[in-house]
Amino acid sequence: MGDKLAPTILVVEDEPAQMELLAYNLQREGYNVVRAENGEDALLLAAETGPDLMLLDWMLPNISGIEVCRQIKRKKATSHIPIIMLTARGEEDDKVRGLDIGADDYIVKPYSVNELMARVRVTLRRSRPGSVTRELRHGDIVVDTVKHKVVRGDKKIKLGPTEYRLLLTLIEHPGRVWSREQLLDRIWGSDIFVETRTVDVHVGRLRKALDIPGSDDPLRTVRGFGYALE
Ligand code: CA
């Protein structure tokens, strides 16, 4: 298991050798890798794990890469996930179609690993500013991602490690509504069994810690679904 705060990348590739190459290089760069060998698994895992980025092979059995991309971009819960499509050389029309249906970038096979990693970094800089930026701000809340310190206004906020991860996740995507399952997966990892109401407990603690006189409650509860930082 990698660092839970590191960006998570969902790799969708049906050829085992290609998958190994991608997973090896991404993990070496410090990313968490989630693997899907087909479109069906890709759609499930995208919704379940809320990855920071998807690398999506064009040619997949059954559901094609383009159909996976279309479905990811159509659903509210997954439409924010950036997608880099992996296409075979010469399929110029495919590239255009891919960008038309909402893919954020594409790279042509056989690709150079260095080029792919550079594209991944650029895309993540947009989707996970906390992985490349030291300070994150939202209103009067400031998170120092190096020292793991939080300030609201001029008050230091003391947070436990779980509340800190929760705030970091929320502040990286202000306004985005996270389901309890997505927060569980992001903060505790999918390999640990934690009940969804545990999320509510920690959100309650975070809310209390951020509560300073004269300030609004920045955490919005979306009934029956999850939470957002507003
Ligand atoms: Ca393939």
Side-chain angles (χ1 to χ4, degrees), residues 46-50 75-81 166 170 173 175-185 188 195-201 203 207 219-230:
E48 229 170 71
T49 66
K75 286 200 187 102
K76 220 177 181 179
T78 54
S79 62
H80 64 278
I81 302 170
L166 198 50
L170 294 168
H173 308 274
R176 172 177 162 190
V177 180
W178 291 78
S179 72
R180 288 179 178 78
E181 288 75 16
Q182 288 172 340
L183 289 172
L184 266 183
D185 207 75
W188 284 268
E195 288 190 62
T196 49
R197 68 166 175 267
T198 307
V199 176
D200 304 332
V201 171
V203 168
R207 182 172 267 147
L219 295 170
R220 180 161 73 93
T221 303
V222 181
R223 279 187 65 191
F225 188 76
Y227 298 97
L229 184 72
E230 302 278 276

Side-chain angles (χ1 to χ4, degrees), residues 131-145:
S131 63
V132 284
T133 306
R134 180 192 173 118
E135 198 178 88
L136 290 168
R137 269 172 194 277
H138 182 69
D140 56 355
I141 302 170
V142 182
V143 178
D144 182 325
T145 61

Side-chain angles (χ1 to χ4, degrees), residues 13-15 57-61 109:
E13 171 64 77
D14 60 317
E15 287 148 65
D57 184 26
W58 188 277
M59 297 290 285
L60 294 169
K109 288 181 177 181

Side-chain angles (χ1 to χ4, degrees), residues 27-96:
Q27 282 165 344
R28 204 179 52 173
E29 295 275 312
Y31 301 121
N32 295 317
V33 174
V34 176
R35 302 169 187 226
E37 289 170 13
N38 56 59
E40 292 86 342
D41 289 353
L43 291 169
L44 283 174
L45 288 166
E48 229 170 71
T49 66
D52 300 290
L53 173 68
M54 272 178 84
L55 291 180
L56 177 57
D57 184 26
W58 188 277
M59 297 290 285
L60 294 169
N62 303 324
I63 307 180
S64 71
I66 197 163
E67 185 52 29
V68 172
C69 181
R70 191 178 286 131
Q71 292 195 30
I72 296 281
K73 293 294 177 182
R74 204 162 44 199
K75 286 200 187 102
K76 220 177 181 179
T78 54
S79 62
H80 64 278
I81 302 170
I83 297 178
I84 299 178
M85 302 278 317
L86 308 172
T87 76
R89 188 174 292 283
E91 293 171 335
E92 297 293 326
D93 291 350
D94 287 355
K95 288 179 215 161
V96 176

